[in-house]
Amino acid sequence: MHYSDDASTIRFLVTGIWILDTLRFSFVCHFLYYYLITNYGIPTSLLYMIWSLPASVLVHAILATAVQCFFVHQIYCLCRPQVKWWVTVPIMLSVLAAAGVGMAAAILEFLKSETSLSMQISYHIGIPTLAIYMLAEILITVSLCALLYENGSRSAFPRMKRLLNTLIIYAVNRCFLMLLVTIGELATDVSHLEAWTIALDFIGQGLYPNSLLASLNARQYLRTEALSTVSDPRISAVDFAKGSKLHEHAEGSDDGTGRFRVREEAVIDITANPSVNKATVLCTEAEVC
């Protein structure tokens, strides 16, 4: 409702993320219902892995790849033209590597339904997968923070700097939460605590779609905060969805003297709109009379 001017790609992305996350959650519910309700008190049911667990892992791999590609695209738009590919290609390779290994692990678990074999697959393939995911998250966060800080250091407006610092904090918090769950999952996987590994994996699966939706929904909050803290009447607009054009007007005064008025417009783009290549665009409108 608040983002009716979003590009079609953003709408399709959010719709796809919502559908995939709903599907993933359905698989998780089926997995829990099968072992905790249908086969409650039947130890032999634990000898075989139900299909819904690897299915949720497969959907999670697709979800995580889509979310990480969104943030890689943001990094690409923020980078200077000379270093775009140098920065984004290594990150994209790590994202694709994590996606490939994760999907391979899910397919092998489909083919090997015995629980013992599935746990071996999870141990030998799951650990490298988690390590690659962790590397990709670190690269994404470091790149975003560096680029946002660079844009903020070049800004002459304190409010713009505060907004960019807020975005940096959001990126760091997202990475910290991801790493916390991933490190816990790695520790339990190495210690062969399969039940804890599955539980943490379910938590990690939900973090990726929520991190994307939280980033998009933060636009309304940041816009509200920026407008609510404006004390200078010259600050007139903050737009987080698309860039604004520079308009110039001139008008005369009766006494022949000149007046100078400056209006600052802060534009922050945290969507995947390819038409905007910078996270911050500072525009000034001057009227000389």
Side-chain angles (χ1 to χ4, degrees), residues 54-280:
S56 69
V57 174
L58 181 61
V59 175
H60 165 61
I62 300 173
L63 266 173
T65 304
V67 172
Q68 289 179 332
C69 286
F70 171 83
F71 288 107
V72 172
H73 183 264
Q74 297 307 300
I75 294 172
Y76 178 84
C77 293
L78 287 168
C79 285
R80 296 190 300 271
Q82 297 84 356
V83 296
K84 281 181 182 290
W85 295 107
W86 291 102
V87 175
T88 55
V89 167
I91 302 175
M92 198 64 205
L93 289 177
S94 64
V95 170
L96 294 178
V101 178
M103 292 180 184
I107 293 173
L108 288 176
E109 289 180 2
F110 266 121
L111 299 177
K112 307 293 183 181
S113 59
E114 294 85 355
T115 302
S116 57
L117 294 177
S118 296
M119 292 300 103
Q120 292 178 8
I121 293 172
S122 176
Y123 180 79
H124 293 291
I125 301 182
I127 292 178
T129 304
L130 292 172
I132 299 174
Y133 271 121
M134 190 162 55
L135 174 63
E137 288 299 327
I138 292 174
L139 291 176
I140 290 172
T141 303
V142 171
S143 301
L144 279 175
C145 291
L147 292 169
L148 289 172
Y149 179 80
E150 179 185 5
N151 280 276
S153 62
R154 293 184 302 183
S155 172
F157 304 109
R159 290 187 181 87
M160 176 60 66
K161 292 183 177 181
R162 285 197 295 268
L163 288 174
L164 291 175
N165 289 336
T166 302
L167 293 177
I168 291 174
I169 293 173
Y170 286 172
V172 172
N173 288 341
R174 173 184 174 274
C175 180
F176 178 76
L177 189 57
M178 295 284 190
L179 291 182
L180 188 64
V181 176
T182 303
I183 292 173
E185 193 172 349
L186 276 172
T188 55
D189 207 353
V190 171
S191 304
H192 298 283
L193 301 173
E194 287 81 9
W196 284 101
T197 302
I198 294 174
L200 289 173
D201 187 55
F202 288 162
I203 296 174
Q205 290 177 8
L207 291 179
Y208 281 93
N210 282 289
S211 67
L212 171 63
L213 298 178
S215 298
L216 295 176
N217 290 332
R219 295 175 295 171
Q220 180 65 24
Y221 169 76
L222 291 174
R223 181 188 295 118
T224 304
E225 286 294 309
L227 294 179
S228 64
T229 57
V230 169
S231 59
D232 189 342
R234 297 177 301 173
I235 310 299
S236 61
V238 178
D239 191 342
F240 299 89
K242 57 185 179 181
S244 60
K245 298 180 180 179
L246 180 63
H247 302 280
E248 296 183 357
H249 304 281
E251 72 178 25
S253 59
D254 296 335
D255 56 0
T257 60
R259 288 186 297 124
F260 187 78
R261 185 175 61 187
V262 178
R263 185 178 69 183
E264 171 190 340
E265 291 188 3
V267 180
I268 297 181
D269 183 1
I270 56 175
T271 67
N273 189 349
S275 63
V276 183
N277 292 328
K278 292 293 180 182
T280 58

